[in-house]
């Protein structure tokens, strides 16, 4: 079978710190020396020697950390930006869903944007009209179809954009993380539609996501990008496992109760010994939005401390911190005289709504003295629900008052 997409030795170079605002012709000429003889340190490769093929009907998941080159690759395949060198062969029309609002005009209504988007794909008016009712019905925004797009919420824009991309006659569909904007019910609907267009209609899908479980569910093949290069290729399941092995390095990854005495960041026999995660008082590293989430930490200290400090930090799969706090944030002082300390961080209603994997780090110190910082001490997995769309924790003070956080010890 002939591949519908062939990527051959693609490289993409960018310049750091370039002012991309529009300038006069004279200003551009005055900076021409910088462009041709600029310091090599100002340049970096966003993609290096990328080669792969995708056959008709395949669903290819592209995973990797932030900055690995995933979005750059999709922009090149969408012909938004050209590669610095290399060759791409596309056999079929491409529909892109890269960012919410991309390919739409904010002043046009939803109805007008459907025809506008279809015309960009090269479709005739009657072809788009034949698909129109299906698109509007799938999007679920029929009451707003004659409202200008600028009045749509991001979720409504995503609904319309996905409906257009999935129903119009394109052989290749490129999707970059936009499903995170939608609610869980519509996300499920999108997953079903992608499965349908891939298996029944023979469309090819390239899907970028940080949700590894969703990638495994949607895609049959996968590519792992690390520092601009392909470091894994094969089935979606195998590539996800490679990614986890490369980046987690966590003892007892799937356990809710973790022995940390042999953690790679341990500095001695004292300090943090174990941690147990509980959702609604049941030992589990899986949680749902709004559950009562507890981190029960056992600590052994060998000497009298001035002001013991225990900290917890939670980050997403790419290392972006969502929560960072310690007992002193809530003016909770821990006993100094006991050699064994149990500290519990309890979130009465843990308000992370975005499905996927999260990590937590643990800290133990005294005043300004750091005894140990255990990076990637364990993992959490958020199970999607229909309650709300993605809502991050309030970052105002990096301390989540509205989660009714309590710290207890004994």
């Amino acid at each position: 079978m002939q591949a519908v997409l062939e990527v051959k030795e693609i490289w993409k170079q960018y310049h750091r710190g370039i002012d991309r605002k529009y300038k006069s012709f004279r200003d551009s000429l005055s900076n021409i020396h910088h462009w041709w003889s600029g310091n090599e340190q100002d340049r970096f490769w966003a993609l290096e020697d990328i080669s792969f093929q995708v056959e008709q009907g395949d669903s290819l998941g592209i995973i990797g950390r932030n900055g690995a080159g995933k979005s750059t690759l999709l922009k090149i395949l969408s012909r938004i930006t050209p590669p610095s060198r290399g060759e791409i062969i596309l056999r079929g029309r491409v529909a892109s869903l890269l960012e919410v609002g991309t390919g739409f005009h904010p002043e046009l209504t939803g109805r007008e944007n459907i025809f506008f988007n279809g015309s960009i794909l090269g479709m005739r008016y009657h072809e788009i009209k034949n698909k129109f009712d299906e698109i509007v019905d799938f999007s679920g925004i029929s009451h707003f179809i004659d409202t200008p797009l600028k009045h749509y919420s991001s979720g409504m824009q995503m609904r319309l954009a996905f409906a257009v991309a999935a129903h119009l006659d394109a052989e290749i569909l490129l999707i970059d993380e936009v499903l995170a904007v939608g609610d869980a019910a519509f996300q499920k609907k999108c997953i079903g539609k992608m499965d349908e267009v891939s298996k029944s209609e023979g469309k090819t899908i390239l899907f970028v996501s940080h949700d590894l479980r969703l990638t495994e569910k949607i895609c049959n093949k996968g590519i792992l990008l690390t520092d601009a290069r392909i470091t894994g290729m094969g089935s979606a399941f195998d590539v996800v496992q490679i990614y986890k092995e490369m980046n987690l390095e966590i003892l007892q990854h799937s356990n809710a109760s973790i022995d940390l005495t042999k953690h790679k960041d341990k500095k001695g026999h004292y300090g943090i010994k174990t941690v147990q995660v509980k959702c609604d008082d049941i030992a589990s590293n899986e949680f749902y939005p709004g559950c009562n989430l507890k981190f029960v930490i056992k600590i052994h200290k060998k000497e009298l401390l001035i002001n013991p400090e225990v900290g917890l930090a939670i980050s997403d799969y790419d290392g972006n911190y969502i929560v960072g706090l310690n007992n002193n944030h809530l003016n909770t002082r821990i006993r100094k005289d006991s050699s064994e300390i149990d500290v519990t961080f309890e979130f009465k209603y843990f308000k992370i709504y975005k499905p996927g994997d999260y990590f937590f780090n643990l800290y133990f110190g005294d005043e300004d003295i750091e005894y140990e910082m255990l990076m990637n001490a364990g993992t959490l997995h958020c199970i999607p629900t229909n309650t709300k769309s993605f809502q991050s924790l309030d970052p105002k003070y990096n301390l989540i008052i509205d989660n009714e956080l309590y710290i207890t010890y004994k």
Side-chain angles (χ1 to χ4, degrees):
M1 182 182 295
Q2 189 179 41
V4 295
L5 170 62
E6 294 183 54
V7 177
K8 300 180 180 180
E9 299 176 356
I10 290 297
W11 295 68
K12 180 62 179 179
Q13 188 179 68
Y14 286 112
H15 289 73
R16 290 189 180 91
I18 297 299
D19 185 0
R20 299 188 182 275
K21 293 180 180 178
Y22 292 107
K23 298 181 179 180
S24 67
F25 181 61
R26 183 176 64 181
D27 290 336
S28 298
L29 285 177
S30 67
N31 286 328
I32 197 168
H33 176 73
H34 172 81
W35 282 92
W36 289 102
S37 59
N39 193 327
E40 284 295 325
Q41 292 181 351
D42 292 337
R43 304 173 185 173
F44 70 97
W45 291 103
L47 292 173
E48 300 180 18
D49 196 22
I50 303 297
S51 298
F52 62 90
Q53 293 186 358
V54 186
E55 295 183 353
Q56 181 180 355
D58 277 343
S59 295
L60 177 70
I62 303 173
I63 61 175
R65 298 179 69 84
N66 280 347
K70 306 183 299 297
S71 296
T72 299
L73 177 58
L74 287 198
K75 286 178 181 178
I76 291 174
L77 297 178
S78 302
R79 289 166 287 193
I80 293 174
T81 184
S84 299
R85 60 175 184 255
E87 181 184 10
I88 296 172
I89 301 174
L90 290 165
R91 298 183 175 93
R93 289 186 287 200
V94 178
S96 303
L97 195 54
L98 303 187
E99 295 176 4
V100 174
T102 300
F104 285 162
H105 195 292
E107 298 296 334
L108 300 179
T109 65
R111 181 187 304 273
E112 292 166 336
N113 268 296
I114 291 173
F115 284 92
F116 175 65
N117 219 272
S119 64
I120 291 175
L121 283 174
M123 295 179 66
R124 297 178 184 274
Y125 178 85
H126 72 272
E127 292 178 310
I128 304 171
K129 191 174 181 179
N130 289 339
K131 296 276 188 177
F132 183 83
D133 290 341
E134 288 182 60
I135 293 171
V136 175
D137 182 63
F138 187 90
S139 69
I141 57 169
S142 57
H143 295 301
F144 304 95
I145 198 64
D146 291 309
T147 301
L149 199 78
K150 63 184 179 182
H151 298 305
Y152 283 24
S153 67
S154 59
M156 290 169 65
Q157 290 185 43
M158 192 281 291
R159 283 171 168 264
L160 184 62
F162 183 89
V164 169
H167 287 83
L168 294 184
D169 291 335
E171 287 76 26
I172 303 170
L173 183 58
L174 309 180
I175 303 175
D176 186 2
E177 198 62 80
V178 293
L179 295 185
V181 178
D183 57 71
F186 188 73
Q187 186 181 88
K188 184 177 180 180
K189 191 175 181 180
C190 291
I191 293 170
K193 184 62 179 178
M194 283 191 282
D195 194 54
E196 176 189 328
V197 299
S198 174
K199 294 178 180 177
S200 301
E201 301 177 22
K203 291 186 179 182
T204 300
I205 297 173
L206 274 69
F207 180 65
V208 167
S209 178
H210 293 299
D211 189 330
L212 300 182
R213 295 193 180 194
L214 185 58
T215 301
E216 287 185 82
K217 187 172 184 178
I218 293 175
C219 304
N220 63 325
K221 294 184 178 179
I223 285 177
L224 171 62
L225 289 178
T226 308
D227 298 330
R229 289 181 170 272
I230 292 179
T231 54
M233 187 184 302
S235 71
F237 176 83
D238 289 342
V239 171
V240 166
Q241 299 312 306
I242 293 171
Y243 185 33
K244 288 181 177 179
E245 291 171 8
M246 285 178 59
N247 293 287
L248 296 185
E249 297 180 358
I250 298 174
L251 298 172
Q252 298 165 297
H253 165 73
S254 61
N255 291 344
S257 301
I258 305 172
D259 180 1
L260 295 169
T261 56
K262 296 182 180 180
H263 190 279
K264 59 185 177 62
D265 294 331
K266 287 291 290 184
K267 296 180 179 179
H269 296 296
Y270 61 92
I272 301 171
K273 295 168 57 180
T274 63
V275 61
Q276 184 179 58
V277 183
K278 294 182 177 181
C279 177
D280 293 339
D281 285 324
I282 298 173
S284 173
N285 68 337
E286 292 190 334
F287 68 92
Y288 64 90
C291 84
N292 177 281
L293 192 67
K294 293 180 182 177
F295 297 82
V296 183
I297 305 163
K298 292 186 178 293
I299 300 169
H300 173 71
K301 62 184 183 69
K302 66 175 183 177
E303 57 190 25
L304 186 66
L305 303 179
I306 300 172
N307 181 22
E309 188 171 84
V310 181
L312 166 72
I314 301 175
S315 62
D316 64 19
Y317 211 92
D318 290 301
N320 302 308
Y321 283 101
I322 298 168
V323 182
L325 63 151
N326 60 53
N327 55 288
N328 288 324
H329 284 152
L330 292 183
N331 299 316
T332 303
R333 298 182 69 87
I334 294 175
R335 295 174 55 178
K336 298 182 285 186
D337 54 347
S338 175
S339 61
E340 301 290 332
I341 308 173
D342 289 356
V343 178
T344 300
F345 290 91
E346 178 182 359
F347 297 87
K348 287 292 185 182
Y349 307 100
F350 195 58
K351 297 179 181 177
I352 288 181
Y353 295 95
K354 186 176 182 181
D357 291 318
Y358 295 84
F359 305 105
F360 63 88
N361 308 332
L362 298 175
Y363 168 84
F364 175 57
D366 183 26
E367 289 287 340
D368 295 327
I369 302 172
E370 177 185 310
Y371 286 138
E372 59 187 10
M373 172 71 82
L374 306 186
M375 303 297 293
N376 289 346
T379 60
L380 305 170
H381 183 76
C382 179
I383 303 169
T385 69
N386 293 331
T387 53
K388 291 187 180 181
S389 59
F390 169 58
Q391 175 184 335
S392 61
L393 294 173
D394 181 4
K396 188 174 181 181
Y397 300 109
N398 213 20
L399 172 61
I400 318 307
I401 300 298
D402 63 352
N403 270 265
E404 296 186 35
L405 172 67
Y406 295 88
I407 299 175
T408 58
Y409 65 89
K410 60 182 179 179

